[in-house]
Amino acid sequence: MAYSYDDQNIFAKILRGEIPNDTVLETEHSLAFRDIRPQAPTHVLVIPKGAYVCYDDFALNASDAEILDYTRAIGKVCEMEGVAANGFRLISNAGEEGVQEVPHLHVHILAGRSLGRMLERG
Ligand code: 5GP
């Protein structure tokens, strides 16, 4: 699927410095910051700096350097936040049925409490 990227989305504004964020890590191609409405004691969003709508867009179209940087940034944030000790969850929502609110790729790193089953029918 060919995605069209809306450069007025909130994470694009964060990347342009138009909106403040609580940065956890910045690398050449990625930015990690705390979610404004945390769902767990640790709730960090990791985004690529490039204009990718969601995970499959990124995985299919990003450069090797971007993919390497982004994947390592996620690992580094996990390490920095110490989430491996008791477990954590990575989530990346996409599109309407995936209930993606912000149309710029992000993974949620959630930890610090029991997160329950992954999905409940609703
Ligand atoms: P989605 O539903 O798209 O997977 O998740 C979007 C996430 O972005 C939500 O968890 C929401 O709380 C977070 N969010 C929305 N606006 C902002 C913002 O301006 N700053 C930060 N740090 N997080 C935001």
Side-chain angles (χ1 to χ4, degrees):
M1 157 144 184
Y3 291 98
S4 89
Y5 182 82
D6 171 13
D7 68 4
Q8 293 307 306
N9 78 76
I10 203 96
F11 294 168
K13 292 179 180 179
I14 284 176
L15 284 167
R16 289 194 295 267
E18 295 167 14
I19 292 176
N21 74 92
D22 185 358
T23 298
V24 173
L25 177 70
E26 181 167 9
T27 65
E28 183 179 1
H29 294 295
S30 308
L31 180 68
F33 53 92
R34 298 196 189 281
D35 196 291
I36 204 166
R37 294 189 300 270
Q39 304 288 319
T42 299
H43 189 170
V44 178
L45 303 171
V46 190
I47 68 174
K49 291 181 178 176
Y52 301 101
V53 174
C54 52
Y55 197 88
D56 58 319
D57 185 19
F58 180 75
L60 291 169
N61 298 312
S63 68
D64 290 359
E66 290 175 302
I67 291 170
L68 180 62
D69 181 291
Y70 186 61
T71 304
R72 290 270 196 252
I74 292 168
K76 184 72 181 165
V77 171
C78 288
E79 184 176 59
M80 291 166 68
E81 297 289 312
V83 299
N86 293 321
F88 63 99
R89 184 169 293 157
L90 288 184
I91 299 173
S92 190
N93 298 315
E96 188 180 341
E97 293 190 354
V99 195
Q100 180 181 12
E101 175 189 337
V102 181
H104 181 110
L105 168 61
H106 49 285
V107 296
H108 300 252
I109 301 174
L110 295 149
R113 67 171 174 84
S114 178
L115 296 164
R117 295 184 66 83
M118 186 173 72
L119 292 176
E120 292 177 8
R121 293 185 73 82

